Amino acid sequence: MASSQQQQTQNMLRLDTKQTKRSTMLLEQPVTRQRRDKVSLSAFAFLLAEMIRYTQNRVLGIQDLEAKLNELGQRVGVRVFELTMSREKTVRRETRVLQMLVFINSVVWRTLFDKSADSLERSTESEDEYMITDNEPAILKYISVPKEMASFSPGAFISGIVESIAACCQCPARVTSHAVPVDGFPVRTVILLKFDKEVMEREKRLEAAQLPRNSWHERSYAYWADKQLHASGIWWRPLSTAVLGTAAAAMSVFLKVGFRKVVTEDLHKLTDVLEDDARNQPVITVANHQSTVDDPVIWGVMPARMRWNPDYSRWTLGARELLYMNPLMNGFFALGQTIPTVRGDGIYQLAVEIGLQKLRDNKWVHVFPEARVNQESELLRFKWGVSRMIMESERIPIVIPMYLSGMSKVLPLRQRVP
């Protein structure tokens, strides 16, 4: 009997793989090797179900049960964090709140569940609360909650993992799990993080330290944001033409000199739409985001006849903390038709409003819906900002998808120079 149970345990730890000629025991895999095989989902769910059953027999109520599962998740979280830091050579331990959340939302989720979380949002009611949403948590696929325990969220185990990793990144928070089922997603789970007061105070001090003490940076940012919204002033168009044309010409030279080969397919489909005098619709292009030079490359491949006309140049959304760092950069990127976006501020922030205004003016708006550089083979979940712009545009926009390939080799992550 004992030998039979031992054999079952070994089978549960065996990987789902068709390669049988080599050892496939999970415990025999080297720790430092990048994971290529996948653990059986049924084994994963079975272990969680046994954990819940074991814990349920030793608690007095639902809150106590969730607390115990959270504690078990914290133990796993520490090990997941250490393993991820050891395996992933392109990541580092983040100590800022937003960067840490992006790390959990993408890298940690892919390590655990082979996919990124479905959304990362900041609460509209409290600035110290963030939400990570997973529409279909893999380990909850085979978990059913009885009606008498409707308030119980088995995702408490996941919240424990998140809480532990946040603590490892020096961003302690109270993390809870909430079951929020919707049509089509019966096990949709929201992980709510409420950061300690000390963490938010530290964030404010760090943000203040990045700005000049005389607040010229903030004044400059507000000034250029207003100019972008209205594109006003007799000097706006000449200066914007100079910035866009010079940048596009420089990138065109760089593409010819620095690249071995540049191939564009069906570019005429975009240029024909932009040069159509009868067009009475805005244009939205969406593309994958493989490197920080993706956007300048779009400038460089456009025909020379279109480079010095702002009407044929895209308006795009760019991360404020990376582009708008001082008054000089503020002016350059504003005139270069790059709208400053604040990550974590949601789809109703000023950047999206400016994008909608450009669509009302029948302009070309380019969006990287992944909202960050992604050099993996699979696309990340698209952010909702582009959906809002399409839905709320006064005229139905012409949406043109684009795909960039090979840019990850031009500028890999953590490399500053192409």
Side-chain angles (χ1 to χ4, degrees), residues 43 72 76 80 125 130 175 224 240 245 300 333 343 374 401:
L72 292 172
V76 174
V80 169
E125 299 178 355
Y130 289 81
V175 185
W224 287 112
S240 182
F333 285 107
R343 292 173 174 171
N374 172 34

Side-chain angles (χ1 to χ4, degrees), residues 237 279 281-283 311 315 358-359 361-365:
R237 188 175 180 86
R279 174 173 60 88
Q281 297 170 271
V283 177
D311 293 334
W315 287 83
K358 300 309 167 187
L359 295 178
D361 297 336
N362 288 341
K363 302 295 184 181
W364 168 25
V365 177

Side-chain angles (χ1 to χ4, degrees), residues 11-28:
N11 290 336
M12 294 301 296
L13 293 175
R14 196 170 293 274
L15 295 174
D16 274 344
T17 175
K18 296 180 179 179
Q19 300 179 6
T20 58
K21 293 183 179 180
R22 60 182 177 84
S23 175
T24 57
M25 290 296 294
L26 177 61
L27 300 180
E28 294 178 7

Side-chain angles (χ1 to χ4, degrees), residues 35 38-39 41 44 73 76-77 79-81 83-84 87-88 104 106-116 134 138-139 157-162 165:
R35 191 193 68 175
K38 300 178 181 179
V39 177
L41 177 58
F44 208 164
V76 174
R79 290 162 175 78
V80 169
F81 179 78
L83 181 62
T84 304
R87 283 181 173 174
E88 301 287 343
I104 294 176
S106 55
V107 177
V108 172
W109 234 257
R110 285 200 303 268
T111 300
L112 288 172
F113 310 122
D114 201 35
K115 70 181 186 70
S116 298
D134 193 335
I139 62 174
F157 177 72
I158 303 176
S159 68
I161 296 176
V162 174
I165 294 176

Side-chain angles (χ1 to χ4, degrees), residues 342-360:
V342 181
R343 292 173 174 171
D345 274 12
I347 63 175
Y348 296 100
Q349 60 175 291
L350 179 61
V352 181
E353 298 298 336
I354 295 177
L356 283 169
Q357 180 59 48
K358 300 309 167 187
L359 295 178
R360 296 186 191 101

